[in-house]
Amino acid sequence: MASLENFRLIVFRTVAEQLSFRKAAEELYLTQPAVSLQIKALEEDLGIQLFDRTGTHIALTAAGQVLMGYSQQVGALLARAEDDIAALSGEHAGVLALGASTTIAQYVLPRLLGEFRREHPRVYPTLISGNTEQIVEAVEKQKILLGLIEGPARSRDVKTEAFLGDELVLIVPAAHEWAECDGVTCSDLAAAPMLMRERGSGTRRVIEIALERQGLKRSSMRIVMELDSTEAIKSAVEAGLGVGFVSRWAIAKDSRLGSSFKIAEVEGLRIRREFLVTYAKGPEPEGLAREFRRFLFARSSARRTVNAIQEP
């Protein structure tokens, strides 16, 4: 879509964020020579070098770092201007920069964004995904305005607000002895081959805290594999490689539930959590970020528990 911002600044900021001409070209749907040409023209206009290209990797020069700070401010200000101008006609418009940790990005956000765009068809969301730590870092660095995360932010530079309930459940292979068991003990769990999300995952952090409260420390568990997504854990359980905890969101519509893997109840253990929206400390988000935050809470107020969202 059309943007009020100078195109060379957009190219510069993308290269500066990626520290790669190739990756910037892919993100902007340009050729790499076209990106290089825009950066060269900008450096000639300013009469100073913005990137150090002497090594195998590029880096921002002192001048590039200064311009990056102002470029981020300009980008945010013009995005607000576009939204405010569009709001005069009763519509919101522009690019909404979001980030989401993997479970939310895969199982929760697509339907929410679909609903949001039906209300605001001139809004174009962009999304980055990663684990909770990566999304919080992107908020801190102002790469995104809002982040949706699954675990505690563990940062003093961001604010968090709960917007939706979730529950983590233990899944086991369908043929596993626990599949028809009335209740698994934490002692049983300690001896089982456990599949875990990678370090930095909000889901992993929530699971570890809940198990520690039951007296089961990380050091006493048999973690046989660390995986970077819920789908990978489901596939590994299906293949009989171990047992693992996943979000109810991730299995609500999974046709494999019952035939390839089943939920096993753990005695005395109920892992409930809240999905969180996070943003930088300071004034509350404005423009499109404010509108999407309002939308999240409006939608979630009627479905604060996971049972309300299993059948959308």
Side-chain angles (χ1 to χ4, degrees):
M1 64 176 296
S3 173
L4 294 175
E5 190 175 1
N6 179 280
F7 183 64
R8 286 179 184 170
L9 276 183
I10 295 175
V11 174
F12 163 75
R13 190 166 61 247
T14 307
V15 175
E17 289 171 349
Q18 299 288 348
L19 290 179
S20 166
F21 284 82
R22 178 183 60 80
K23 291 180 180 179
E26 291 174 356
E27 184 172 328
L28 294 167
Y29 299 99
L30 298 172
T31 64
Q32 191 168 328
V35 169
S36 298
L37 187 62
Q38 291 293 328
I39 297 299
K40 181 181 179 182
L42 182 58
E43 289 177 328
E44 289 177 352
D45 285 347
L46 295 173
I48 196 167
Q49 191 172 340
L50 299 172
F51 292 96
D52 182 355
R53 306 171 178 83
T54 55
T56 56
H57 302 285
I58 68 169
L60 283 168
T61 63
Q65 292 173 355
V66 170
L67 182 60
M68 182 58 171
Y70 283 108
S71 175
Q72 289 173 327
Q73 293 178 44
V74 167
L77 186 61
L78 289 178
R80 284 178 54 190
E82 291 173 6
D83 184 47
D84 289 346
I85 291 169
L88 293 174
S89 62
E91 295 184 14
H92 288 274
V95 176
L96 173 63
L98 298 172
S101 49
T102 50
T103 297
I104 297 174
Q106 189 163 7
Y107 304 107
V108 180
L109 195 54
R111 184 161 58 86
L112 289 174
L113 286 179
E115 292 179 20
F116 186 71
R117 285 214 65 206
R118 281 192 288 275
E119 290 186 11
H120 307 291
R122 295 182 60 197
V123 173
Y124 293 82
T126 63
L127 177 67
I128 63 172
S129 63
N131 62 36
T132 291
E133 284 188 1
Q134 292 167 336
I135 298 305
V136 170
E137 182 181 2
V139 171
E140 291 173 330
K141 293 182 177 179
Q142 299 183 347
K143 291 182 178 179
I144 54 176
L145 298 174
L146 294 177
L148 307 180
I149 57 176
E150 304 160 30
R154 305 177 76 178
S155 169
R156 296 180 180 180
D157 297 324
V158 299
K159 293 180 180 179
T160 59
E161 298 171 304
F163 74 93
L164 193 61
D166 184 32
E167 182 182 4
L168 293 165
V169 295
L170 182 70
I171 59 171
V172 302
H176 196 281
E177 59 182 318
W178 293 353
E180 305 300 332
C181 185
D182 290 336
V184 178
T185 68
C186 282
S187 297
D188 294 332
L189 203 57
M194 181 67 68
L195 306 166
M196 275 284 198
R197 285 289 306 275
E198 80 287 359
R199 297 177 190 275
S201 160
T203 295
R204 176 171 179 154
R205 180 64 180 156
V206 170
I207 292 168
E208 289 177 343
I209 291 172
L211 293 179
E212 283 178 6
R213 288 174 179 164
Q214 297 296 316
L216 185 55
K217 295 183 178 180
R218 181 174 60 191
S219 58
S220 61
M221 289 189 287
R222 282 185 59 205
I223 300 176
V224 296
M225 195 177 298
E226 295 182 348
L227 301 158
D228 66 357
S229 72
T230 298
E231 281 302 309
I233 288 181
K234 290 196 291 184
S235 295
V237 169
E238 187 177 19
L241 297 177
V243 302
F245 287 92
V246 299
S247 165
R248 277 199 185 272
W249 279 89
I251 57 174
K253 289 188 171 183
D254 200 313
S255 60
R256 294 172 293 176
L257 180 59
S259 60
S260 296
F261 50 80
K262 293 186 177 181
I263 296 173
E265 298 292 336
V266 182
E267 294 177 3
L269 183 68
R270 197 73 182 267
I271 309 180
R272 295 188 180 278
R273 65 173 175 179
E274 297 282 345
F275 289 147
L276 307 171
V277 57
T278 181
Y279 51 91
K281 272 191 173 178
E284 291 190 351
E286 297 184 358
L288 290 179
R290 177 185 59 202
E291 181 62 18
F292 187 71
R293 177 169 163 262
R294 181 208 60 78
F295 166 86
L296 281 179
F297 291 117
R299 288 297 180 277
S300 64
S301 61
R303 28 171 126 114
R304 295 292 298 172
T305 62
V306 70
N307 290 335
I309 48 80
Q310 287 191 1
E311 292 294 336

